[in-house]
Short mmCIF file of all heavy atoms in Angstrom, two decimals:
data_model
loop_
_atom_site.label_atom_id
_atom_site.label_comp_id
_atom_site.label_asym_id
_atom_site.label_seq_id
_atom_site.Cartn_x
_atom_site.Cartn_y
_atom_site.Cartn_z
N MET W 1 26.15 2.07 -5.66
CA MET W 1 24.92 2.81 -5.73
C MET W 1 23.76 1.85 -5.48
O MET W 1 23.73 0.75 -6.00
CB MET W 1 24.79 3.47 -7.10
CG MET W 1 23.46 4.15 -7.31
SD MET W 1 23.38 4.91 -8.93
CE MET W 1 23.38 6.59 -8.41
N ARG W 2 22.81 2.28 -4.69
CA ARG W 2 21.67 1.46 -4.35
C ARG W 2 20.48 1.84 -5.22
O ARG W 2 20.17 3.01 -5.37
CB ARG W 2 21.32 1.66 -2.88
CG ARG W 2 20.22 0.78 -2.42
CD ARG W 2 20.02 0.91 -0.95
NE ARG W 2 18.90 0.07 -0.58
CZ ARG W 2 18.36 0.04 0.59
NH1 ARG W 2 18.84 0.81 1.54
NH2 ARG W 2 17.35 -0.73 0.86
N GLY W 3 19.82 0.85 -5.80
CA GLY W 3 18.65 1.10 -6.65
C GLY W 3 17.39 1.22 -5.82
O GLY W 3 17.37 1.01 -4.62
N LEU W 4 16.33 1.56 -6.49
CA LEU W 4 15.02 1.71 -5.86
C LEU W 4 14.14 0.56 -6.31
O LEU W 4 14.05 0.27 -7.50
CB LEU W 4 14.39 3.04 -6.26
CG LEU W 4 12.98 3.30 -5.77
CD1 LEU W 4 12.97 3.43 -4.25
CD2 LEU W 4 12.42 4.55 -6.40
N ALA W 5 13.52 -0.10 -5.36
CA ALA W 5 12.60 -1.18 -5.67
C ALA W 5 11.38 -1.07 -4.77
O ALA W 5 11.47 -0.60 -3.65
CB ALA W 5 13.27 -2.53 -5.46
N GLN W 6 10.26 -1.48 -5.30
CA GLN W 6 9.02 -1.44 -4.54
C GLN W 6 8.24 -2.70 -4.87
O GLN W 6 8.14 -3.08 -6.03
CB GLN W 6 8.22 -0.20 -4.93
CG GLN W 6 6.86 -0.11 -4.29
CD GLN W 6 6.15 1.15 -4.72
OE1 GLN W 6 6.75 2.19 -4.87
NE2 GLN W 6 4.86 1.06 -4.94
N VAL W 7 7.68 -3.34 -3.87
CA VAL W 7 6.86 -4.53 -4.05
C VAL W 7 5.48 -4.23 -3.51
O VAL W 7 5.34 -3.68 -2.42
CB VAL W 7 7.47 -5.74 -3.30
CG1 VAL W 7 6.56 -6.95 -3.40
CG2 VAL W 7 8.85 -6.07 -3.83
N ALA W 8 4.45 -4.57 -4.29
CA ALA W 8 3.07 -4.33 -3.85
C ALA W 8 2.33 -5.65 -3.73
O ALA W 8 2.53 -6.56 -4.53
CB ALA W 8 2.35 -3.41 -4.83
N GLN W 9 1.47 -5.73 -2.74
CA GLN W 9 0.65 -6.91 -2.48
C GLN W 9 -0.80 -6.46 -2.35
O GLN W 9 -1.07 -5.43 -1.74
CB GLN W 9 1.11 -7.59 -1.19
CG GLN W 9 0.28 -8.75 -0.73
CD GLN W 9 0.40 -9.96 -1.63
OE1 GLN W 9 1.47 -10.24 -2.14
NE2 GLN W 9 -0.69 -10.66 -1.84
N HIS W 10 -1.73 -7.23 -2.91
CA HIS W 10 -3.15 -6.90 -2.79
C HIS W 10 -3.62 -7.09 -1.35
O HIS W 10 -3.24 -8.05 -0.68
CB HIS W 10 -3.98 -7.78 -3.72
CG HIS W 10 -5.45 -7.51 -3.62
ND1 HIS W 10 -6.27 -8.23 -2.80
CD2 HIS W 10 -6.20 -6.56 -4.21
CE1 HIS W 10 -7.50 -7.75 -2.92
NE2 HIS W 10 -7.48 -6.74 -3.77
N ALA W 11 -4.43 -6.16 -0.88
CA ALA W 11 -4.99 -6.23 0.47
C ALA W 11 -6.51 -6.13 0.38
O ALA W 11 -7.04 -5.19 -0.19
CB ALA W 11 -4.45 -5.09 1.33
N GLY W 12 -7.19 -7.10 0.94
CA GLY W 12 -8.64 -7.08 0.94
C GLY W 12 -9.20 -6.12 1.98
O GLY W 12 -10.28 -5.58 1.82
N ASP W 13 -8.46 -5.91 3.06
CA ASP W 13 -8.86 -5.02 4.16
C ASP W 13 -7.67 -4.13 4.49
O ASP W 13 -6.94 -4.38 5.44
CB ASP W 13 -9.30 -5.83 5.37
CG ASP W 13 -9.66 -4.99 6.58
OD1 ASP W 13 -9.83 -3.76 6.44
OD2 ASP W 13 -9.76 -5.56 7.68
N LEU W 14 -7.45 -3.11 3.68
CA LEU W 14 -6.25 -2.28 3.80
C LEU W 14 -6.10 -1.68 5.20
O LEU W 14 -5.04 -1.81 5.81
CB LEU W 14 -6.27 -1.17 2.75
CG LEU W 14 -5.05 -0.27 2.69
CD1 LEU W 14 -3.79 -1.08 2.37
CD2 LEU W 14 -5.25 0.83 1.65
N GLU W 15 -7.13 -1.04 5.71
CA GLU W 15 -7.03 -0.41 7.02
C GLU W 15 -6.78 -1.45 8.12
O GLU W 15 -5.98 -1.23 9.02
CB GLU W 15 -8.28 0.42 7.33
CG GLU W 15 -8.31 1.77 6.63
CD GLU W 15 -8.60 1.68 5.14
OE1 GLU W 15 -9.06 0.62 4.65
OE2 GLU W 15 -8.36 2.68 4.44
N GLY W 16 -7.45 -2.60 8.03
CA GLY W 16 -7.25 -3.66 9.00
C GLY W 16 -5.85 -4.24 8.94
O GLY W 16 -5.22 -4.51 9.97
N ASP W 17 -5.33 -4.44 7.72
CA ASP W 17 -3.98 -4.96 7.57
C ASP W 17 -2.94 -3.99 8.12
O ASP W 17 -1.98 -4.40 8.78
CB ASP W 17 -3.68 -5.27 6.10
CG ASP W 17 -4.49 -6.44 5.57
OD1 ASP W 17 -4.97 -7.26 6.40
OD2 ASP W 17 -4.63 -6.55 4.35
N VAL W 18 -3.13 -2.69 7.86
CA VAL W 18 -2.21 -1.68 8.40
C VAL W 18 -2.26 -1.69 9.92
O VAL W 18 -1.22 -1.62 10.59
CB VAL W 18 -2.52 -0.28 7.81
CG1 VAL W 18 -1.78 0.81 8.57
CG2 VAL W 18 -2.15 -0.25 6.34
N ALA W 19 -3.45 -1.80 10.49
CA ALA W 19 -3.58 -1.84 11.95
C ALA W 19 -2.86 -3.06 12.53
O ALA W 19 -2.18 -2.96 13.56
CB ALA W 19 -5.06 -1.85 12.34
N ARG W 20 -2.97 -4.21 11.86
CA ARG W 20 -2.28 -5.42 12.34
C ARG W 20 -0.76 -5.26 12.25
O ARG W 20 -0.03 -5.64 13.17
CB ARG W 20 -2.74 -6.64 11.55
CG ARG W 20 -4.07 -7.19 12.02
CD ARG W 20 -4.46 -8.49 11.33
NE ARG W 20 -4.89 -8.28 9.94
CZ ARG W 20 -6.07 -7.80 9.59
NH1 ARG W 20 -6.94 -7.45 10.50
NH2 ARG W 20 -6.38 -7.66 8.31
N LEU W 21 -0.28 -4.69 11.16
CA LEU W 21 1.17 -4.45 11.04
C LEU W 21 1.64 -3.53 12.16
O LEU W 21 2.65 -3.78 12.81
CB LEU W 21 1.50 -3.83 9.68
CG LEU W 21 1.42 -4.75 8.48
CD1 LEU W 21 1.49 -3.95 7.18
CD2 LEU W 21 2.53 -5.79 8.53
N ARG W 22 0.90 -2.43 12.37
CA ARG W 22 1.27 -1.46 13.41
C ARG W 22 1.28 -2.12 14.79
O ARG W 22 2.16 -1.86 15.60
CB ARG W 22 0.29 -0.28 13.38
CG ARG W 22 0.70 0.85 14.27
CD ARG W 22 -0.22 2.05 14.14
NE ARG W 22 0.14 2.79 12.94
CZ ARG W 22 -0.67 3.05 11.93
NH1 ARG W 22 -1.91 2.65 11.95
NH2 ARG W 22 -0.26 3.75 10.90
N SER W 23 0.32 -3.03 15.05
CA SER W 23 0.25 -3.69 16.37
C SER W 23 1.45 -4.60 16.60
O SER W 23 1.75 -4.95 17.74
CB SER W 23 -1.05 -4.49 16.49
OG SER W 23 -1.01 -5.68 15.72
N HIS W 24 2.16 -4.97 15.52
CA HIS W 24 3.36 -5.80 15.63
C HIS W 24 4.63 -4.95 15.58
O HIS W 24 5.73 -5.49 15.39
CB HIS W 24 3.39 -6.86 14.53
CG HIS W 24 2.38 -7.94 14.73
ND1 HIS W 24 2.53 -8.96 15.64
CD2 HIS W 24 1.16 -8.13 14.15
CE1 HIS W 24 1.48 -9.74 15.61
NE2 HIS W 24 0.63 -9.26 14.71
N GLY W 25 4.47 -3.64 15.69
CA GLY W 25 5.64 -2.76 15.74
C GLY W 25 6.18 -2.31 14.41
O GLY W 25 7.26 -1.72 14.34
N VAL W 26 5.46 -2.58 13.33
CA VAL W 26 5.91 -2.16 12.00
C VAL W 26 5.61 -0.67 11.81
O VAL W 26 4.49 -0.23 12.05
CB VAL W 26 5.23 -2.98 10.89
CG1 VAL W 26 5.61 -2.48 9.51
CG2 VAL W 26 5.57 -4.46 11.05
N ALA W 27 6.62 0.09 11.40
CA ALA W 27 6.43 1.52 11.15
C ALA W 27 5.81 1.70 9.76
O ALA W 27 6.33 1.20 8.77
CB ALA W 27 7.76 2.26 11.23
N ILE W 28 4.71 2.40 9.71
CA ILE W 28 4.03 2.66 8.45
C ILE W 28 4.64 3.91 7.82
O ILE W 28 4.71 4.96 8.44
CB ILE W 28 2.51 2.86 8.69
CG1 ILE W 28 1.91 1.64 9.41
CG2 ILE W 28 1.79 3.13 7.38
CD1 ILE W 28 2.10 0.32 8.71
N VAL W 29 5.12 3.78 6.59
CA VAL W 29 5.76 4.88 5.88
C VAL W 29 4.72 5.80 5.26
O VAL W 29 4.85 7.02 5.27
CB VAL W 29 6.71 4.33 4.77
CG1 VAL W 29 7.30 5.45 3.94
CG2 VAL W 29 7.80 3.48 5.40
N GLU W 30 3.67 5.22 4.68
CA GLU W 30 2.56 5.98 4.09
C GLU W 30 1.25 5.38 4.59
O GLU W 30 1.00 4.19 4.41
CB GLU W 30 2.59 5.91 2.56
CG GLU W 30 3.73 6.66 1.93
CD GLU W 30 3.62 6.66 0.40
OE1 GLU W 30 2.50 6.77 -0.13
OE2 GLU W 30 4.67 6.53 -0.23
N GLU W 31 0.44 6.21 5.21
CA GLU W 31 -0.87 5.77 5.68
C GLU W 31 -1.75 5.45 4.46
O GLU W 31 -1.48 5.94 3.36
CB GLU W 31 -1.52 6.88 6.51
CG GLU W 31 -0.82 7.15 7.83
CD GLU W 31 -0.90 5.98 8.80
OE1 GLU W 31 -1.91 5.25 8.80
OE2 GLU W 31 0.06 5.82 9.58
N PRO W 32 -2.80 4.64 4.64
CA PRO W 32 -3.69 4.34 3.53
C PRO W 32 -4.22 5.63 2.88
O PRO W 32 -4.66 6.54 3.57
CB PRO W 32 -4.83 3.57 4.19
CG PRO W 32 -4.20 2.94 5.39
CD PRO W 32 -3.20 3.95 5.87
N HIS W 33 -4.12 5.68 1.55
CA HIS W 33 -4.58 6.86 0.83
C HIS W 33 -4.98 6.48 -0.59
O HIS W 33 -4.58 5.44 -1.11
CB HIS W 33 -3.49 7.95 0.80
CG HIS W 33 -2.25 7.53 0.07
ND1 HIS W 33 -1.29 6.72 0.66
CD2 HIS W 33 -1.82 7.77 -1.18
CE1 HIS W 33 -0.31 6.50 -0.22
NE2 HIS W 33 -0.61 7.13 -1.34
N LEU W 34 -5.78 7.32 -1.21
CA LEU W 34 -6.26 7.11 -2.56
C LEU W 34 -5.15 7.38 -3.56
O LEU W 34 -4.49 8.42 -3.49
CB LEU W 34 -7.45 8.04 -2.85
CG LEU W 34 -8.09 7.92 -4.21
CD1 LEU W 34 -8.78 6.57 -4.36
CD2 LEU W 34 -9.09 9.06 -4.41
N VAL W 35 -4.91 6.45 -4.49
CA VAL W 35 -3.91 6.67 -5.53
C VAL W 35 -4.53 6.70 -6.93
O VAL W 35 -3.91 7.20 -7.86
CB VAL W 35 -2.76 5.62 -5.50
CG1 VAL W 35 -1.93 5.77 -4.25
CG2 VAL W 35 -3.29 4.22 -5.65
N PHE W 36 -5.77 6.19 -7.06
CA PHE W 36 -6.41 6.19 -8.38
C PHE W 36 -7.91 6.03 -8.20
O PHE W 36 -8.36 5.20 -7.41
CB PHE W 36 -5.88 5.04 -9.23
CG PHE W 36 -6.51 4.93 -10.59
CD1 PHE W 36 -6.17 5.81 -11.60
CD2 PHE W 36 -7.45 3.97 -10.85
CE1 PHE W 36 -6.75 5.73 -12.86
CE2 PHE W 36 -8.04 3.86 -12.10
CZ PHE W 36 -7.69 4.75 -13.11
N ALA W 37 -8.68 6.82 -8.92
CA ALA W 37 -10.13 6.68 -8.97
C ALA W 37 -10.52 6.59 -10.44
O ALA W 37 -10.24 7.50 -11.22
CB ALA W 37 -10.82 7.86 -8.31
N ALA W 38 -11.14 5.49 -10.83
CA ALA W 38 -11.48 5.25 -12.23
C ALA W 38 -12.71 6.05 -12.66
O ALA W 38 -13.73 6.04 -11.99
CB ALA W 38 -11.72 3.76 -12.47
N ASP W 39 -12.57 6.72 -13.79
CA ASP W 39 -13.71 7.44 -14.37
C ASP W 39 -14.33 6.64 -15.52
O ASP W 39 -15.21 7.10 -16.21
CB ASP W 39 -13.27 8.82 -14.87
CG ASP W 39 -12.25 8.76 -16.00
OD1 ASP W 39 -11.89 7.63 -16.44
OD2 ASP W 39 -11.80 9.83 -16.44
N GLY W 40 -13.82 5.42 -15.72
CA GLY W 40 -14.31 4.57 -16.80
C GLY W 40 -13.35 4.45 -17.96
O GLY W 40 -13.49 3.56 -18.79
N THR W 41 -12.36 5.33 -18.04
CA THR W 41 -11.40 5.29 -19.14
C THR W 41 -10.49 4.06 -19.05
O THR W 41 -10.24 3.40 -20.04
CB THR W 41 -10.53 6.56 -19.14
OG1 THR W 41 -11.37 7.70 -19.21
CG2 THR W 41 -9.57 6.57 -20.33
N PHE W 42 -10.00 3.75 -17.84
CA PHE W 42 -9.04 2.65 -17.65
C PHE W 42 -9.55 1.56 -16.73
O PHE W 42 -8.80 0.71 -16.31
CB PHE W 42 -7.72 3.18 -17.09
CG PHE W 42 -7.05 4.16 -18.02
CD1 PHE W 42 -7.04 5.50 -17.73
CD2 PHE W 42 -6.45 3.73 -19.19
CE1 PHE W 42 -6.43 6.41 -18.57
CE2 PHE W 42 -5.85 4.63 -20.05
CZ PHE W 42 -5.84 5.97 -19.73
N GLY W 43 -10.79 1.59 -16.37
CA GLY W 43 -11.31 0.57 -15.48
C GLY W 43 -12.78 0.81 -15.18
O GLY W 43 -13.42 1.67 -15.78
N THR W 44 -13.29 0.04 -14.26
CA THR W 44 -14.69 0.16 -13.87
C THR W 44 -14.95 1.53 -13.26
O THR W 44 -14.24 1.93 -12.33
CB THR W 44 -15.03 -0.93 -12.84
OG1 THR W 44 -14.69 -2.20 -13.40
CG2 THR W 44 -16.50 -0.91 -12.49
N PRO W 45 -15.92 2.27 -13.78
CA PRO W 45 -16.20 3.58 -13.20
C PRO W 45 -16.48 3.50 -11.70
O PRO W 45 -17.18 2.60 -11.25
CB PRO W 45 -17.45 4.04 -13.95
CG PRO W 45 -17.45 3.27 -15.22
CD PRO W 45 -16.83 1.95 -14.87
N GLY W 46 -15.89 4.40 -10.96
CA GLY W 46 -16.08 4.43 -9.51
C GLY W 46 -15.11 3.56 -8.72
O GLY W 46 -15.04 3.66 -7.50
N ARG W 47 -14.35 2.70 -9.40
CA ARG W 47 -13.38 1.86 -8.68
C ARG W 47 -12.26 2.71 -8.17
O ARG W 47 -11.73 3.57 -8.86
CB ARG W 47 -12.82 0.79 -9.59
CG ARG W 47 -11.80 -0.12 -8.88
CD ARG W 47 -11.64 -1.41 -9.57
NE ARG W 47 -10.67 -2.38 -9.19
CZ ARG W 47 -9.71 -2.33 -8.29
NH1 ARG W 47 -9.51 -1.27 -7.58
NH2 ARG W 47 -8.90 -3.35 -8.08
N GLU W 48 -11.90 2.49 -6.91
CA GLU W 48 -10.79 3.23 -6.30
C GLU W 48 -9.67 2.28 -5.94
O GLU W 48 -9.91 1.13 -5.55
CB GLU W 48 -11.25 3.94 -5.03
CG GLU W 48 -12.23 5.05 -5.29
CD GLU W 48 -12.60 5.80 -4.04
OE1 GLU W 48 -12.30 5.35 -2.92
OE2 GLU W 48 -13.19 6.87 -4.19
N ILE W 49 -8.45 2.74 -6.08
CA ILE W 49 -7.28 1.99 -5.64
C ILE W 49 -6.63 2.79 -4.52
O ILE W 49 -6.32 3.96 -4.68
CB ILE W 49 -6.28 1.75 -6.78
CG1 ILE W 49 -6.95 0.91 -7.87
CG2 ILE W 49 -5.02 1.06 -6.26
CD1 ILE W 49 -6.11 0.71 -9.11
N ARG W 50 -6.49 2.14 -3.38
CA ARG W 50 -5.87 2.77 -2.22
C ARG W 50 -4.57 2.04 -1.90
O ARG W 50 -4.41 0.88 -2.24
CB ARG W 50 -6.82 2.71 -1.02
CG ARG W 50 -8.10 3.52 -1.29
CD ARG W 50 -9.12 3.43 -0.19
NE ARG W 50 -8.62 3.58 1.15
CZ ARG W 50 -8.31 4.73 1.75
NH1 ARG W 50 -8.44 5.87 1.10
NH2 ARG W 50 -7.87 4.75 2.98
N MET W 51 -3.64 2.72 -1.27
CA MET W 51 -2.33 2.15 -1.00
C MET W 51 -1.82 2.60 0.36
O MET W 51 -2.13 3.69 0.83
CB MET W 51 -1.34 2.61 -2.06
CG MET W 51 0.04 2.00 -1.90
SD MET W 51 1.21 2.65 -3.12
CE MET W 51 1.80 4.08 -2.23
N ALA W 52 -1.02 1.75 0.98
CA ALA W 52 -0.27 2.07 2.20
C ALA W 52 1.12 1.46 2.02
O ALA W 52 1.29 0.48 1.28
CB ALA W 52 -0.94 1.50 3.44
N ALA W 53 2.12 2.02 2.69
CA ALA W 53 3.48 1.51 2.52
C ALA W 53 4.18 1.38 3.87
O ALA W 53 3.90 2.13 4.80
CB ALA W 53 4.29 2.43 1.61
N PHE W 54 5.09 0.41 3.94
CA PHE W 54 5.89 0.18 5.14
C PHE W 54 7.23 -0.40 4.71
O PHE W 54 7.41 -0.78 3.56
CB PHE W 54 5.16 -0.75 6.12
CG PHE W 54 4.88 -2.12 5.56
CD1 PHE W 54 5.71 -3.18 5.85
CD2 PHE W 54 3.78 -2.34 4.74
CE1 PHE W 54 5.46 -4.45 5.33
CE2 PHE W 54 3.51 -3.60 4.22
CZ PHE W 54 4.35 -4.65 4.52
N ARG W 55 8.18 -0.45 5.61
CA ARG W 55 9.49 -1.04 5.31
C ARG W 55 9.66 -2.33 6.10
O ARG W 55 9.25 -2.43 7.24
CB ARG W 55 10.61 -0.07 5.66
CG ARG W 55 10.60 1.14 4.73
CD ARG W 55 11.93 1.85 4.69
NE ARG W 55 11.85 2.99 3.79
CZ ARG W 55 12.11 2.95 2.49
NH1 ARG W 55 12.50 1.83 1.94
NH2 ARG W 55 12.01 4.04 1.75
N ASP W 56 10.29 -3.31 5.46
CA ASP W 56 10.57 -4.56 6.15
C ASP W 56 11.82 -4.41 7.00
O ASP W 56 12.42 -3.32 7.06
CB ASP W 56 10.65 -5.74 5.17
CG ASP W 56 11.87 -5.68 4.24
OD1 ASP W 56 12.76 -4.84 4.44
OD2 ASP W 56 11.91 -6.50 3.30
N SER W 57 12.23 -5.49 7.65
CA SER W 57 13.38 -5.42 8.56
C SER W 57 14.69 -5.10 7.87
O SER W 57 15.67 -4.72 8.51
CB SER W 57 13.51 -6.75 9.32
OG SER W 57 13.71 -7.81 8.40
N GLU W 58 14.72 -5.23 6.54
CA GLU W 58 15.95 -4.93 5.78
C GLU W 58 15.85 -3.59 5.04
O GLU W 58 16.73 -3.26 4.26
CB GLU W 58 16.24 -6.07 4.80
CG GLU W 58 16.53 -7.37 5.54
CD GLU W 58 16.80 -8.52 4.61
OE1 GLU W 58 16.88 -8.32 3.38
OE2 GLU W 58 16.91 -9.64 5.12
N GLY W 59 14.78 -2.85 5.30
CA GLY W 59 14.64 -1.53 4.71
C GLY W 59 13.98 -1.47 3.35
O GLY W 59 13.87 -0.43 2.75
N ASN W 60 13.49 -2.63 2.86
CA ASN W 60 12.80 -2.65 1.57
C ASN W 60 11.42 -2.03 1.71
O ASN W 60 10.72 -2.26 2.69
CB ASN W 60 12.65 -4.08 1.05
CG ASN W 60 13.99 -4.74 0.84
OD1 ASN W 60 14.80 -4.25 0.07
ND2 ASN W 60 14.23 -5.84 1.53
N LEU W 61 11.02 -1.24 0.71
CA LEU W 61 9.71 -0.62 0.70
C LEU W 61 8.69 -1.61 0.19
O LEU W 61 8.82 -2.15 -0.91
CB LEU W 61 9.72 0.63 -0.19
CG LEU W 61 8.43 1.43 -0.23
CD1 LEU W 61 8.08 1.98 1.14
CD2 LEU W 61 8.53 2.54 -1.26
N LEU W 62 7.67 -1.87 0.99
CA LEU W 62 6.60 -2.80 0.63
C LEU W 62 5.28 -2.04 0.68
O LEU W 62 5.08 -1.18 1.54
CB LEU W 62 6.54 -3.97 1.61
CG LEU W 62 7.84 -4.76 1.74
CD1 LEU W 62 7.73 -5.78 2.85
CD2 LEU W 62 8.21 -5.43 0.43
N CYS W 63 4.39 -2.34 -0.26
CA CYS W 63 3.11 -1.65 -0.34
C CYS W 63 1.96 -2.64 -0.29
O CYS W 63 2.06 -3.74 -0.79
CB CYS W 63 3.01 -0.86 -1.63
SG CYS W 63 4.27 0.40 -1.81
N LEU W 64 0.88 -2.20 0.30
CA LEU W 64 -0.39 -2.92 0.27
C LEU W 64 -1.33 -2.07 -0.57
O LEU W 64 -1.39 -0.85 -0.40
CB LEU W 64 -0.96 -3.09 1.67
CG LEU W 64 -0.13 -3.94 2.62
CD1 LEU W 64 -0.73 -3.89 4.01
CD2 LEU W 64 -0.05 -5.37 2.13
N MET W 65 -2.05 -2.71 -1.49
CA MET W 65 -2.98 -1.97 -2.37
C MET W 65 -4.30 -2.72 -2.45
O MET W 65 -4.34 -3.93 -2.39
CB MET W 65 -2.39 -1.85 -3.78
CG MET W 65 -1.09 -1.07 -3.82
SD MET W 65 -0.43 -0.90 -5.48
CE MET W 65 -1.47 0.41 -6.09
N THR W 66 -5.37 -1.94 -2.63
CA THR W 66 -6.70 -2.54 -2.78
C THR W 66 -6.92 -2.89 -4.23
O THR W 66 -6.24 -2.41 -5.11
CB THR W 66 -7.81 -1.58 -2.33
OG1 THR W 66 -7.73 -0.40 -3.11
CG2 THR W 66 -7.69 -1.28 -0.87
#
C-alpha cells in the first residue's frame, strides 16, 4: 500500500515560480489559488496564503505556498 505525502516550500513569487516550472515542462497539478485568508484569529488580519502544486519526476506531490 502506498501512503500519501506532501511537501511544501515557501515561494516569494508564486505565479512567477509556477510559470518557470511550466516553462521547463513541469505539469502543474493545482494552479495558484487561495487556501487561507486571515481574519485576525490565527494571524495578521488580511494575510493570505496561496498554494500551487506539481509532481516531481517520481510522482511525489510538491507544493509552493506564499
Side-chain angles (χ1 to χ4, degrees):
M1 174 180 249
R2 184 174 177 187
L4 175 67
Q6 175 180 322
V7 175
Q9 175 69 38
H10 179 265
D13 177 14
L14 184 61
E15 282 74 15
D17 291 339
V18 168
R20 280 186 287 283
L21 287 168
R22 188 175 280 122
S23 75
H24 289 284
V26 175
I28 304 302
V29 175
E30 290 185 38
E31 293 294 328
H33 63 281
L34 181 67
V35 293
F36 178 76
D39 64 2
T41 304
F42 298 107
T44 305
R47 180 159 174 354
E48 293 184 347
I49 298 175
R50 297 176 45 79
M51 183 184 88
F54 61 98
R55 293 201 180 271
D56 68 9
S57 60
E58 296 179 6
N60 299 301
L61 183 62
L62 304 173
C63 299
L64 296 173
M65 298 181 79
T66 59

